[in-house]
Every structure is written in structure tokens, then in C-alpha cells.
Amino acid sequence: MKQSYFDRVYESTYDNLLRYAIVHLSDPTDAEDAVQNVYVQFYRRIERYGHFDILSPEGFLKKMLKREIIKNYAEREQQRIRIVSDAEEDRIPDDEVFEDVVVNRALAEQVFRAAKELPRETYRTFVLFYGYELTVPEIAKQLGVTKETVKTRLCRARKALKVMLEVEPKESNQTGNGEY
């Protein structure tokens, strides 16, 4: 009974879940892994508790998939931090460089902690631009928005973070051209 229920749900939801995962993860391999992880968790769940309390299997699975996608981004960020940390450990900086590294790392961590308070899509855009160093066109393509939307979100993020972090604007005689 449980197996046939699982098989029916799998057949009717797999394509939609995979499409959703590909859009949000952009790497088909990561998307397939995330979807399979969700189905494993789902199978274990119905094996343990049954399925009679699940009114919408697709909605239930999509919620599980969203959590899996968030976990994927968190793991990527941790991996990126480990790679950067490992690379920095391989060299012995002089005192001035060491102080700069410590200050810059502390500032970056403070900025990214504050950025988590931004609206979801603004935060995502901010992380893709500053954390993953994607270009505006790459972010626009990945998020399915225009380049102007990406630029607007980045501008809003910077303004909000300046307020959150109480950053005073630099005195400058140069004017920006708005390019990224």
C-alpha cells in the first residue's frame, strides 16, 4: 500500500519538482540530487507515519524541496569559506597584511549577517553578486529577472546595509556611471 502510494506520487510530481529545483539551483546535477534526497525523506516519512495526513503530496514535497535547496546553498557557502580559509592558511602573511585580513574578514562577516535581514530576493541577489561574484547578466539569467531588476536590488541592498551598519558615505569628487 505504502509503496504504491509512493510510486503514484513520484510519477505525478517528479517532473514539476525537478523543474523547480533546476530553476533554483541552476546546476542540473545538484537539482537531481536535491529531488532524490526529498523523495528518500518522503519515503521514510510515509513508512514511519503513513500518508493519510498529507492532503497535497506535491505541496508537501515542494516544501521539503525548498528546505533542501536552502541546505544546498548553505553547504555551498560553507564549502566556499573552507576553500578560502584553506588557501589563506597556506601562506604566512606579514603583520600588516594579517591585520588587514582579520579586519576585512570581520567586516565581511558583519555585512553578510546584516544582509540576512534584507528581503529574500534582495538578499539572494546580494549573495550571488558579492558572495559568488556572479555578474549582473548571470544573476538576471539565474533568477529570471531583468538586468535592471538586479541593479535595483543591489542598489537597495547597499542603501539598506549602509543604514543597518551606520556607514558614512565617502567624500569623493568622482561620480559613478552606474556600471557594475
Side-chain angles (χ1 to χ4, degrees), residues 30-178:
D30 287 345
E32 289 172 358
D33 289 346
V35 171
Q36 290 308 315
N37 288 342
V38 165
Y39 281 116
V40 168
Q41 294 167 21
F42 181 67
Y43 186 82
R44 288 179 183 155
R45 195 270 186 206
I46 62 174
E47 204 172 48
R48 178 178 276 173
Y49 302 110
H51 62 83
F52 297 105
D53 61 328
I54 301 173
L55 301 176
S56 168
E58 186 163 1
F60 189 85
L61 287 165
K62 192 173 258 186
K63 197 177 277 190
M64 291 174 74
L65 182 57
K66 287 177 183 178
R67 285 190 210 113
E68 191 70 24
I69 290 168
I70 290 168
K71 185 174 123 184
N72 184 286
Y73 276 109
E75 287 170 356
R76 279 189 204 174
E77 181 63 16
Q78 288 300 318
Q79 183 179 20
R80 189 184 67 77
I81 289 169
R82 277 192 302 275
I83 289 169
V84 169
S85 295
D86 290 347
E88 289 176 357
E89 287 175 8
D90 290 343
R91 61 183 177 83
I92 302 172
D94 61 36
D95 286 342
E96 276 186 42
V97 172
F98 177 74
E99 288 173 10
D100 288 345
V101 168
V102 170
V103 169
N104 288 337
R105 181 178 292 160
L107 287 173
E109 288 172 0
Q110 183 181 7
V111 168
F112 276 90
R113 269 195 307 277
K116 289 181 181 177
E117 301 299 318
L118 296 170
R120 182 175 172 256
E121 290 303 317
T122 303
Y123 172 71
R124 236 173 120 201
T125 304
F126 180 83
V127 169
L128 291 172
F129 188 77
Y130 290 103
Y132 290 99
E133 299 179 351
L134 296 182
T135 65
V136 169
E138 290 170 333
I139 296 168
K141 183 178 179 184
Q142 184 165 346
L143 298 179
V145 297
T146 65
K147 291 186 273 189
E148 288 71 29
T149 299
V150 172
K151 290 177 185 180
T152 299
R153 288 178 184 170
L154 289 170
C155 183
R156 287 180 184 160
R158 284 191 296 269
K159 284 180 182 178
L161 289 170
K162 282 179 185 178
V163 171
M164 285 183 211
L165 299 170
E166 299 177 20
V167 175
E168 296 193 20
K170 289 183 182 177
E171 293 293 323
S172 175
N173 294 334
Q174 298 177 344
T175 57
N177 62 3

